Amino acid sequence: MHPLILVAVFVVCTVVGYFIISNVPSLLHTPLMSGMNALSGVTLVGALSATGIALLNGQSLWAQFFGMLAIILATVNVFGGFGVTHRMLRMFNKKKH
Amino acid sequence: MTLDIVQIIVSVLLSVCVLVGISMMSKVKTAVAGNLLSALAMLCGVVATLFFSHILTAWTVFVAIIIGALVGSFMASRAQMIQMPQMVALFNGLGGGASALVGVMTYMGWGTVDAPEYPHFINFTAVLAIAVGMITLVGSLVAAGKLARIIDGRPKVYPAHSAVTLCLIVVSVVLILLGTVYAENVWIAVGSLLLTGCFGYMFAIRVGGADMPITISLLNSLSGVAGSIAGMAIGDIFLVAVGGIVGASGLLLTQIMCRAMNRSLMSILLGGAVKKKVQASVQPVQGKTPEGGHTQFLPTDDFEKLLEKLNDMEVKQLLDAIEALTKEVAGLRQQLAQSGAAAPAAATGKAEKTPASVLSNAKDVIIVPGYGMALAQAQHAVKQLADKLEYRGTKVRFAIHPVAGRMPGHMNVLLAEADIPYEKLYEMQAINDDFKNTDAVVVIGANDVLNPAANTAEGTPIYGMPVLAVADAPEVIVCNFDLKPGYAGVENPLYTREKGVYLCLGDAKQTLMTLINEIQ
């Protein structure tokens, strides 16, 4: 992947991301922050591909250890983040029942 | 090659799903679905990565995923709503840590087989990922520790704090540049891990008080950026895209909060020095209660000596001593009354008006919740109070300061937990003009966000912050735990106001329950 493409993707997503959430009621700021936080665990994808390749090619134990640790940390972030967000959002909705 | 194109298309589609999910999360009706859509997109992204990187056979990664999933789900299901700020900070830190580890792996040439096409770009982004990831990890852990009260929540400034921080930045930048040129150097990897970690500590430890929500939001943004940079290092479009979106949104949220507090981001990050002064001026207040000094008998005297002393004293002497003491106490009382420190006591004492009677007669009441409500878990009692007042035909509204609590929207979450409809929650700008027309205001565990000193007390950390105009209301009932200054450490002049202020100190839940029972 050419570096310029990656940087371009970053810039475009930053701009789009900036505009897509610009009109959120403050009521939703906490869940939104928490949801964003879960999404930042997307680094799991990077941890997986790096660790998987390291494991399959029998690279050093350090590589495997760091990789496994990265996967665990990122997964905790993803599951914890989405779980907490879901619990908060459910509370906003339950009054309708 | 065709597989590459398929991978790019899948990544773009999933990134769009994440964007749609986030935009759905910005509306109350679709928020739950939006969250689920984002989660689903993430799951698909993980599966796609496993497939495209041909690592479905590396079964040990699944073990790690299962461990992480179990731990994460357990923590998410057990956390109480009041712990949300530190939970978010903690999760956020872990994500940053993962990005830093991915950076280490990429820099050390682990996790790839082919020689890289653009080695300098990969080295640069890898070390940068280590740096941003470590700042996020350590900064978030410090923030979480402060919020959970594991470490002191006040801002802490070390000698030569700014100089040391500056040195850390300079050396880190040098390391990043060195890392760009020299690949796979263990010392550069370890050095940047340690130094940027130290920087994260120095940066977070000097922030405190009401600025914590802003710090967490900023760290949230940073963890997205860390992920995005790690994505550049390993060349994964999905990771770059989602990280970028999170980075931008986190920064926007940070800006919104800064605006609400009328402060610039830099002044918050560098504002520790101002706060130190305020703390010093506040300290003597706590230990000034006059006490002891009148008795001649020390606790160290044993009983026989005590008896001897008593026998030696004549009755007249004893009576004189008692009379002198009574006079002294009366004098002290007068002094206190004149100094105005006893004004609240006088206000509650003299009138037939009580907090309950004020609320009973009010037609329009505004409730102002703060972090104290969260601490006392009093949101359900607040709901009962609101219900009782509404049952009697009183109009009840809630005024929510943008940075009330320890996180943006913290109060909204807690009040929603207690089934208070969000139509009754008003943001500061929407309700601030109504305070002077309302009959009564009930403050529950809030201090800094309504402190009128913010308009007058120059040089304090809250100076210039827009506050709720509670001071304009004719009757104010304050249900706080004590009268100590709030998290920002500035005394609240409202508490010593002569008229129309009723202080109900103690645990907010109990105070509210007695108040509810007393309203006739």
Side-chain angles (χ1 to χ4, degrees):
Chain A
M1 196 71 63
H2 196 280
L4 275 181
I5 299 177
L6 292 170
V7 174
V9 169
F10 177 72
V11 172
V12 169
C13 286
T14 312
V15 174
V16 175
Y18 196 86
F19 284 108
I20 212 146
I21 71 139
S22 56
N23 47 5
V24 186
S26 74
L27 163 78
L28 285 174
H29 278 169
T30 293
L32 182 69
M33 185 156 120
S34 172
M36 295 287 175
N37 169 39
L39 281 174
S40 71
V42 73
T43 194
L44 170 63
V45 169
L48 274 178
S49 79
T51 313
I53 292 170
L55 282 168
L56 289 182
N57 293 287
Q59 290 177 345
S60 78
L61 273 180
W62 277 108
Q64 302 188 9
F65 171 74
F66 272 41
M68 298 294 272
L69 190 61
I71 294 177
I72 292 176
L73 293 185
T75 325
V76 171
N77 184 358
V78 171
F79 274 77
F82 280 123
V84 160
T85 313
H86 190 67
R87 274 184 62 196
M88 276 192 269
L89 289 174
R90 225 176 27 197
M91 287 187 315
F92 287 126
N93 276 23
K94 72 180 171 188
K95 67 188 75 58
K96 283 175 195 143
H97 304 308
Chain B
M1 194 57 210
T2 46
L3 204 62
D4 271 1
I5 293 169
V6 174
Q7 186 178 4
I8 290 173
I9 292 172
V10 169
S11 298
V12 170
L13 282 179
L14 289 177
S15 306
V16 171
C17 281
V18 169
L19 271 175
V20 172
I22 291 174
S23 74
M24 282 168 76
M25 277 180 75
S26 64
K27 289 181 189 64
V28 179
K29 275 184 191 163
T30 52
V32 175
N35 187 42
L36 292 177
L37 180 64
S38 306
L40 190 69
M42 182 89 97
L43 179 69
C44 293
V46 169
V47 173
T49 305
L50 290 174
F51 177 74
F52 287 121
S53 306
H54 313 288
I55 47 175
L56 282 165
T57 47
W59 61 271
T60 28
V61 302
F62 296 104
V63 177
I65 290 183
I66 290 169
I67 294 174
L70 287 178
V71 173
S73 311
F74 179 76
M75 285 164 79
S77 62
R78 292 297 293 274
Q80 292 177 318
M81 280 303 140
I82 180 190
Q83 296 171 326
M84 282 306 158
Q86 50 262 46
M87 287 310 275
V88 172
L90 182 63
F91 289 142
N92 193 43
L94 296 183
S99 294
L101 287 176
V102 173
V104 171
M105 293 181 73
T106 319
Y107 176 69
M108 296 305 293
W110 299 332
T112 43
V113 220
D114 321 311
E117 231 177 310
Y118 307 96
H120 293 320
F121 178 76
I122 286 179
N123 288 340
F124 174 71
T125 46
V127 186
L128 198 60
I130 298 177
V132 183
M134 276 309 280
I135 295 171
T136 311
L137 171 66
V138 180
S140 299
L141 290 183
V142 171
K146 282 192 168 197
L147 289 168
R149 288 159 190 265
I150 296 170
I151 52 177
D152 187 6
R154 284 175 304 190
K156 190 167 188 172
V157 180
Y158 293 107
H161 200 117
S162 301
V164 173
T165 313
L166 194 68
C167 285
L168 285 172
I169 295 175
V170 171
V171 180
S172 301
V173 169
V174 170
L175 274 178
I176 291 170
L177 293 179
L178 281 176
T180 309
V181 184
Y182 303 102
E184 300 185 24
N185 184 318
V186 182
W187 297 112
I188 291 179
V190 173
S192 45
L193 274 175
L194 290 179
L195 282 173
T196 51
C198 286
F199 173 75
Y201 176 83
M202 296 296 268
F203 140 79
I205 199 78
R206 80 183 303 173
V207 182
D211 295 339
M212 228 39 193
I214 293 182
T215 314
I216 294 184
S217 179
L218 184 68
L219 288 166
N220 192 32
S221 167
L222 266 187
S223 76
V225 174
S228 197
I229 296 172
M232 290 188 203
I234 62 165
D236 188 312
I237 285 196
F238 181 58
L239 187 41
V240 173
V242 177
I245 296 168
V246 173
S249 65
L251 197 62
L252 183 76
L253 203 55
T254 315
Q255 279 182 346
I256 292 173
M257 279 183 278
C258 281
R259 224 173 292 148
M261 297 186 73
N262 196 21
R263 301 194 59 182
S264 75
L265 197 53
M266 283 317 280
S267 76
I268 286 164
L269 299 181
L270 304 172
V274 182
K275 280 174 198 137
K276 212 178 171 189
K277 262 186 249 161
V278 178
Q279 274 167 36
S281 71
V282 164
Q283 230 90 57
V285 178
Q286 292 165 355
K288 75 172 180 187
T289 41
E291 201 186 2
H294 298 300
T295 48
Q296 293 174 343
F297 311 116
L298 296 171
T300 45
D301 292 348
D302 56 39
F303 191 60
E304 280 175 27
K305 276 188 187 167
L306 203 70
L307 273 179
E308 270 174 42
K309 271 189 182 175
L310 265 177
N311 283 335
D312 290 348
M313 263 188 173
E314 285 181 24
V315 180
K316 193 172 177 301
Q317 268 180 318
L318 262 175
L319 283 175
D320 281 351
I322 289 171
E323 203 178 357
L325 263 176
T326 338
K327 268 186 192 164
E328 203 170 334
V329 169
L332 272 175
R333 270 203 189 133
Q334 227 169 3
Q335 265 181 19
L336 264 177
Q338 279 165 358
S339 73
T348 42
K350 71 172 178 206
E352 61 280 1
K353 268 189 182 177
T354 62
S357 73
V358 168
L359 284 183
S360 304
N361 296 324
K363 289 276 162 286
D364 184 356
V365 172
I366 299 178
I367 298 179
V368 178
Y371 186 58
M373 183 187 80
L375 270 186
Q377 292 277 301
Q379 60 269 34
H380 297 286
V382 171
K383 161 78 171 161
Q384 285 183 34
L385 176 69
D387 282 350
K388 181 145 190 183
L389 290 173
E390 279 178 342
Y391 179 72
R392 301 165 46 85
T394 311
K395 183 181 176 193
V396 178
R397 286 174 293 175
F398 292 82
I400 313 291
H401 191 277
V403 293
R406 294 288 176 268
M407 212 165 49
H410 194 183
M411 291 301 119
N412 305 79
V413 173
L414 290 171
L415 294 176
E417 190 194 5
D419 275 335
I420 292 168
Y422 54 81
E423 295 85 17
K424 289 189 185 147
L425 311 186
Y426 289 81
E427 294 184 22
M428 183 167 62
Q429 298 90 329
I431 204 169
N432 236 4
D433 292 335
D434 292 355
F435 275 106
K436 53 181 176 292
N437 301 324
T438 189
D439 295 325
V441 172
V442 185
V443 176
I444 297 147
N447 187 356
D448 291 336
V449 295
L450 52 92
N451 193 342
N455 302 318
T456 52
E458 274 184 62
T460 59
I462 58 168
Y463 178 66
M465 176 175 94
V467 288
L468 292 165
V470 173
D472 292 347
E475 314 275 1
V476 182
I477 297 157
V478 181
C479 302
N480 282 3
F481 186 71
D482 54 28
L483 295 182
K484 277 190 198 152
Y487 211 55
V490 183
E491 295 274 0
N492 193 336
L494 187 65
Y495 298 157
T496 47
R497 191 168 94 173
E498 303 254 323
K499 260 185 169 177
V501 173
Y502 308 88
L503 300 172
C504 310
L505 303 186
D507 179 71
K509 207 196 269 178
Q510 288 169 12
T511 331
L512 282 173
M513 291 322 281
T514 28
L515 201 57
I516 291 166
N517 288 330
E518 282 170 8
I519 294 175
Q520 295 301 319

